[in-house]
């Protein structure tokens, strides 16, 4: 009879090489007993790649209360291999020579790999911001995607 998960089937991956992004792993299964081993199964290929950047990122200002507002971000996922999405914000209110005076700062994260929106709450009013969303997994994060801008009045 064939073994299925939960019936004593275990997988051992040997070797001392650390896994690196960009590697490709090939797996083949053999069933063995005291009489020998079967022919190998088909080869399963696993690619160790970071996810792709999100597409069509947009930022929309939500109404504020007092001195803070919110920004709703929406995007389309182009990958299915992310385990989290990191959200970054950059203030562009103060410019020197046309360039922002601050770097992008991580302001949030979601571990819902299928998420297509995020609300950055308590954003100071009276400023302009750029946002980036970067999908990540064990092998790294997507390249920085184009930014979406918003101004909170």
């Amino acid at each position: 009879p064939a073994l299925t998960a939960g019936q004593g089937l275990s997988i051992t991956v040997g070797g001392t090489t650390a896994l690196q992004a960009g590697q490709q792993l090939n797996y083949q299964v053999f069933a063995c007993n005291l009489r020998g081993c079967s022919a190998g199964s088909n080869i399963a290929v696993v690619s160790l790649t970071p996810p792709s950047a999100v597409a069509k990122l947009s930022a929309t200002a939500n109404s504020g209360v007092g001195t803070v507002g919110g920004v709703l971000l929406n995007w389309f996922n182009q990958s299915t291999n992310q385990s989290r999405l990191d959200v970054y914000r950059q203030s562009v209110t103060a410019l020197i020579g046309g360039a922002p005076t601050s770097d992008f700062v991580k302001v949030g994260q979601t571990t819902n790999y299928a998420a297509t929106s995020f609300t950055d709450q308590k954003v100071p009013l009276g400023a302009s911001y750029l946002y980036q969303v970067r999908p990540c997994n064990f092998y790294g994060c997507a390249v920085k995607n184009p930014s979406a801008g918003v101004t909170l009045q």
Side-chain angles (χ1 to χ4, degrees):
L3 284 176
T4 59
Q7 294 182 325
L9 178 64
S10 65
I11 298 173
T12 303
V13 178
T16 57
T17 304
L19 299 178
Q20 300 291 322
Q23 280 184 309
Q24 178 176 302
L25 302 177
N26 298 317
Y27 291 96
Q28 190 171 26
V29 177
F30 298 85
C32 300
N33 62 22
L34 295 175
R35 294 184 178 176
C37 295
S38 69
S41 68
N42 61 314
I43 296 175
V45 178
V46 178
S47 295
L48 309 180
T49 57
S52 298
V54 300
K56 299 183 181 180
L57 176 63
S58 66
T60 306
N62 290 338
S63 59
V65 176
T67 60
V68 296
V71 176
L72 174 63
L73 303 172
N74 289 291
W75 62 85
F76 290 97
N77 288 318
Q78 298 191 109
S79 294
T80 57
N81 66 336
Q82 62 261 22
S83 57
R84 72 176 197 275
L85 293 116
D86 294 342
V87 178
Y88 294 87
R89 176 178 68 208
Q90 179 184 52
S91 174
V92 293
T93 302
L95 298 176
I96 295 177
T101 58
S102 67
D103 290 329
F104 278 92
V105 175
K106 186 175 175 181
V107 294
Q109 173 179 306
T110 177
T111 55
N112 175 358
Y113 69 91
T116 58
S117 66
F118 179 87
T119 300
D120 185 10
Q121 300 176 0
K122 300 182 180 178
V123 181
L125 296 176
S128 296
Y129 302 94
L130 292 176
Y131 284 87
Q132 291 184 336
V133 176
R134 295 185 70 196
C136 301
N137 64 19
F138 180 77
Y139 307 107
C141 294
V143 295
K144 292 184 179 177
N145 59 300
S147 304
V150 65
T151 298
L152 297 179
Q153 302 294 331

